Amino acid sequence: MIPFNKPPYTGNEDHHVMAAMRSGKMSGDGDFTIRCQTWFEEKLNCPKALLTPSCTQALEMAALLIDIQPGDEVIMPSYTFVSTANAFVLRGAKIVFVDVHPDTMNIDETQIEAAITEKTRAIVPVHYAGVACEMDSIMALAEKYKLFVVEDAAQAMMSTYKGRALGTIGHLAAYSFHETKNYTSGGEGGLLLLNDESFILRAEIIREKGTNRSQFFRGQVDKYTWRDIGSSFLPGELQAAYLYAQLEDAQEINTRRMHIWNSYHQAFAALEKSGVLVRPTIPGHVTQNAHMYYLKLKDFSIREKFIKHMQERGILTPFHYIPLHSSPAGEKFGIFSGVDRFTTVESERLVRLPIYFNMTQEELDTVIAAVAEVMSIIG
């Protein structure tokens, strides 16, 4: 069986996790947490990076930091993971979904302005498959209407938009280190980027259960007290140790994934030319991180046949999100602004192929051959 994903493993994880276990500091903000955060701040050129137990919790921190209140509206695509919406719904917000571009599956920036009302508080672009949304247009709208932009960059580590790292363009951003991502912290894991320095002090307080404990440990105050709302947004040191091993080999991981992605892309060019499928589109002004390789098939029925035939050959090729606006909670907590021209129909065509750092050349060749065989049967 060739799985859809295997968590990346470089070889140094064992050593670093053992070192963290023996450090006497396992509850968070130890040496490996600091190393990881420094790596991100330097690599991404951002004012502050804070590790969190998950991307979900990074998004929840963002909602707290921009002070989302009941009745506020937050604009985002419907084609995203539930955490993107949940983080703001938990604060009482109404989610306003807008359509996506059919080529990238990213939020259609031309549809955002029509969705803005006097209650709108934020825009949450989701960089699907590590491919950048049109951030210049989104930031211009945010400035015009005095809105916050929270980048959901869960899939976008090492991707750029016009030379800028994704996650560093909006006011805040959230990354994921779930085991399905390019880099993992051993299962779950997340990161909050603070691109506006005015958020830093409060973010540290919110992350430490609403206390100024971080300042206390730095010797800036003689005791720490309850200062604000907050929660336990601090990851364990074992998570940070596992992640740091991956960051040490980040370029190697990225290079290997790009090789797999490019191999797929080249292999399926003829099938796209014949009209039986569509390959991913990467705009010329962005760089992507090979987080995902997907195909667009003719319709839902063909996709179901494809998944079945691939599974019979021992290869897992799952579809992805069911649009949030069509879910029970999406109908309860949100509305769709404008017309759903592409979100639903395009989501029903999309299927993902296996891609992971430790994928062997034999596995890659097997997947490519199987896709060609299955498309000759069902195409």
Side-chain angles (χ1 to χ4, degrees):
M1 178 67 71
I2 297 177
F4 167 68
N5 175 73
K6 288 181 182 178
Y9 177 77
T10 67
N12 286 330
E13 291 86 352
D14 309 68
H15 175 269
H16 289 348
V17 169
M18 187 61 70
M21 289 172 64
R22 292 171 175 167
S23 69
K25 175 68 173 173
M26 293 176 60
S27 62
D29 273 353
D31 180 58
F32 283 106
T33 297
I34 293 169
R35 286 195 219 179
C36 287
Q37 291 176 172
T38 300
W39 191 94
F40 290 121
E41 289 165 6
E42 293 176 351
K43 182 73 175 180
L44 303 176
N45 190 28
C46 69
K48 190 68 175 178
L50 294 173
L51 286 187
T52 58
S54 68
C55 182
T56 298
Q57 288 169 300
L59 288 165
E60 289 172 5
M61 280 188 67
L64 288 167
L65 284 166
I66 65 174
D67 198 29
I68 293 294
Q69 297 292 318
D72 288 344
E73 294 179 357
V74 178
I75 297 172
M76 66 181 64
S78 175
Y79 193 65
T80 184
F81 189 58
V82 62
S83 294
T84 314
N86 252 340
F88 301 93
V89 170
L90 283 169
R91 309 309 310 163
K94 177 182 179 181
I95 307 301
V96 179
F97 299 112
V98 299
D99 210 3
V100 296
H101 287 291
D103 54 352
T104 62
M105 301 302 288
N106 282 334
I107 190 169
D108 184 345
E109 70 285 352
T110 67
Q111 303 298 310
I112 294 175
E113 190 163 21
I116 295 173
T117 73
E118 68 278 359
K119 296 180 180 179
T120 306
R121 183 73 172 165
I123 305 169
V124 186
V126 179
H127 303 300
Y128 185 71
V131 177
C133 299
E134 289 299 330
M135 293 305 296
D136 282 350
S137 298
I138 291 170
M139 295 307 295
L141 283 172
E143 183 176 0
K144 178 179 178 180
Y145 292 99
K146 295 180 170 49
L147 305 175
F148 290 108
V149 173
V150 178
E151 292 179 73
D152 185 333
Q155 303 171 6
M157 179 59 68
M158 301 286 276
S159 296
T160 68
Y161 172 79
K162 296 184 178 180
R164 297 181 64 183
L166 295 188
T168 67
I169 303 169
H171 301 91
L172 299 161
Y175 286 104
S176 173
F177 303 119
H178 186 270
E179 67 173 35
T180 58
K181 301 305 188 291
N182 294 30
Y183 315 100
T184 182
S185 51
E188 290 280 354
L191 179 74
L192 178 68
L193 291 193
L194 308 165
N195 301 314
D196 184 332
E197 295 186 8
S198 66
F199 287 122
I200 293 176
L201 178 58
R202 188 166 184 242
E204 289 185 333
I205 290 172
I206 287 172
R207 184 168 172 261
E208 278 279 16
K209 298 105 176 152
T211 74
N212 59 344
R213 191 164 176 257
S214 295
Q215 290 177 290
F216 172 72
F217 283 130
R218 290 195 295 264
Q220 294 172 318
V221 294
D222 60 0
K223 58 182 179 294
Y224 68 88
T225 59
W226 185 17
R227 313 289 292 187
D228 200 344
I229 58 175
S231 190
S232 186
F233 291 124
L234 206 65
E237 192 66 3
L238 298 186
Q239 281 185 286
Y242 196 100
L243 176 61
Y244 190 67
Q246 311 245 308
L247 300 182
E248 289 179 312
D249 290 314
Q251 191 55 57
E252 181 185 353
I253 292 172
N254 197 59
T255 298
R256 177 59 185 163
R257 292 184 70 104
M258 285 303 303
H259 168 73
I260 296 167
W261 196 99
N262 287 327
S263 296
Y264 280 149
H265 208 58
Q266 181 177 355
F268 304 136
L271 288 172
E272 182 175 53
K273 188 173 182 179
S274 70
V276 299
L277 57 77
V278 175
R279 299 177 300 163
T281 297
I282 310 298
H285 55 281
V286 312
T287 61
Q288 56 108 8
N289 62 354
H291 171 66
M292 185 192 307
Y293 197 90
Y294 62 81
L295 299 171
K296 296 275 195 73
L297 305 181
K298 188 177 299 182
D299 54 32
F300 177 84
S301 174
I302 294 294
R303 184 183 73 177
E304 293 303 290
K305 292 177 183 177
F306 179 90
I307 292 172
K308 179 176 180 291
H309 278 279
M310 292 293 283
Q311 188 166 11
E312 289 172 351
R313 287 159 176 77
I315 302 169
L316 295 184
T317 56
F319 59 87
H320 212 182
Y321 312 126
I322 295 173
L324 295 184
H325 76 278
S326 59
S327 67
E331 293 175 350
K332 179 178 180 181
F333 298 118
I335 60 167
F336 198 100
S337 173
V339 178
D340 173 11
R341 293 181 59 203
F342 299 115
T343 298
T344 297
V345 67
E346 293 297 320
S347 71
E348 292 179 344
R349 300 172 58 202
L350 188 147
V351 65
R352 298 177 291 163
L353 301 186
I355 183 169
Y356 43 90
F357 169 60
N358 303 108
M359 190 176 195
T360 67
Q361 188 63 42
E362 181 181 2
E363 288 174 323
L364 175 59
D365 292 342
T366 298
V367 174
I368 290 172
V371 169
E373 180 185 10
V374 168
M375 292 312 300
S376 71
I377 297 170
I378 68 172

